[in-house]
Amino acid sequence: MTERKHGFDTLQVHAGTGPDPATGARQVPIYQTTAYEFRDADHAAKLFNLEEVGYIYSRLTNPTVGALQNRITALEGGAGAVCCSSGHAAQIMALFPLMQPGTNIVASTRLYGGTLTQFSQTFKRFGWSATFVDFDDLDAVKAAIDDDTRAIFCETIANPGGYITDLDALSEIAKDAGIPLIVDNTTATPYLCRPIEHGATLVVHSTTKYMTGNGTVTGGCVVDSGNFDWMASDKFPSLSQPEPAYHGLCFGAALGPMAFTFHGIAIGLRDLGMTMNPQGAHYTLMGIETLSLRMQRHVENAVKVAEWLEKDDRVEAVTYAGLDSSPYKDRMARICPKGAGALFTVALKGGYDACVATVDKMELFSHVANLGDTRSLVIHPASTTHRQLSEAEQVKAGASPNVLRLSIGIEDVADIIADLDQAIQ
Ligand SMILES: Cc1ncc(COP(=O)(O)O)c(C=O)c1O
């Protein structure tokens, strides 16, 4: 194709892929192979030494997974990406090159419950820690950063409440502190928000959700903007100094804007092994082809459902940032101008009991621990995804016992509303 800069809808279909060089197959083949034959001993040595880019072993690289990496890089406007086995794996892969025992991250209180638990509990096993702060309080974010802080972490549209995070302000704070801003863009997708354009250094995804879009596979991705100067301080020795885990290669000096991505493959995937499989990458590539079309419909339906719920007298509150009444409305126009996504919570006047009874009465909605499917999904976070948290933490996370989380699908909106109506009743 010519060099003309393509729009999002074109990139989601074409970026990173073309006819298969071996066969001309127009769709990206599933390269179901573990290893790749070396041309000779010199070729093998060059690949292992990162002097030549190519395929060695599918724990590290695979052409089908590589096509997906290139496509997500293009959609997010990054320098490179590494796909991995789940969104949770992507979070570890993003932090692994940055962290040492004794270092910490400053993270939003409003995150997916599993992420809160990963950061507050499992991190301790690595000697890492997380300080949780209300990210609407920018002074508190600044105050939480200390000499051992290595990153700021947030979600663009926070799960479960659908609150929008001020990425512009947070990236300024991260810049002043000389540390990366990591943004989980799972619930927004690059169609609604491209965090790198708001100053993010790294973008992580659970591709399990909207990117694949049909609830078929778990997957994750870390996209690097290529904009962070890892050599500027001694905070990130794994990138700025000779790396003993890769025969003394200094990734920052040798690979410049691709340092983080190559480190992720050469050390992250090599040693942590959280690799995406080619079959999974294929399903996600299929899903991404229709990402913008699905997101438009998700948003259109979410607005109508949230407006209907807000007027219903059985409902106490609706958190959807796309509502005119939302305190996040102005921020949405700046950060996610095409819409506030399709994930939000609804608080029922009947409290906890009404929430669990409503879930049990749903017919069209599926009661599952997932979001971002074409189907409408419902869950009661306090008793499931955010169950490990104390009630105070649940409230801070936007997962109070009296709320249901809705992930609005792309079905006929009248059917979605009718199901909610009969279930709440
Ligand atoms: C916003 C967000 N980030 C990350 C994850 C973790 O992703 P995965 O389930 O693919 O590990 C989830 C899962 O629900 C999520 O909602």
Side-chain angles (χ1 to χ4, degrees), residues 41-80:
D42 183 48
H43 178 221
K46 280 193 172 131
L47 290 176
F48 274 86
N49 214 22
L50 298 184
E51 281 170 44
E52 191 176 322
V53 178
Y55 300 101
I56 298 176
Y57 186 63
S58 281
R59 172 158 33 85
L60 309 173
T61 47
N62 171 283
T64 315
V65 178
L68 176 61
Q69 287 168 169
N70 293 341
R71 190 168 298 173
I72 298 177
T73 301
L75 294 180
E76 285 288 5

Side-chain angles (χ1 to χ4, degrees), residues 8 69 71-84 86-95 98 151-157 167 171 180-207 211 219-228 230 260-261 291 335:
F8 191 95
Q69 287 168 169
R71 190 168 298 173
I72 298 177
T73 301
L75 294 180
E76 285 288 5
V82 181
C83 282
C84 44
S86 69
H88 260 16
Q91 290 163 197
I92 297 292
M93 287 282 295
L95 290 166
L98 314 181
I152 297 179
F153 189 99
C154 63
E155 292 173 4
T156 312
I157 301 178
L167 303 184
S171 67
L181 171 66
I182 307 178
V183 177
D184 180 338
N185 202 31
T186 299
T187 48
T189 82
Y191 178 70
L192 297 179
C193 176
R194 303 207 324 158
I196 292 171
E197 290 171 0
H198 297 275
T201 303
L202 302 173
V203 178
V204 293
H205 275 282
S206 165
T207 55
M211 295 287 258
C221 187
V222 187
V223 186
D224 178 26
S225 61
N227 294 335
F228 195 89
W230 305 109
F260 191 91
T261 301
L291 180 63
I335 306 286

Side-chain angles (χ1 to χ4, degrees), residues 410-425:
I410 62 171
E411 304 99 330
D412 286 289
V413 73
D415 295 330
I416 299 174
I417 291 175
D419 194 36
L420 276 165
D421 191 26
Q422 66 77 25
I424 299 174
Q425 194 55 40

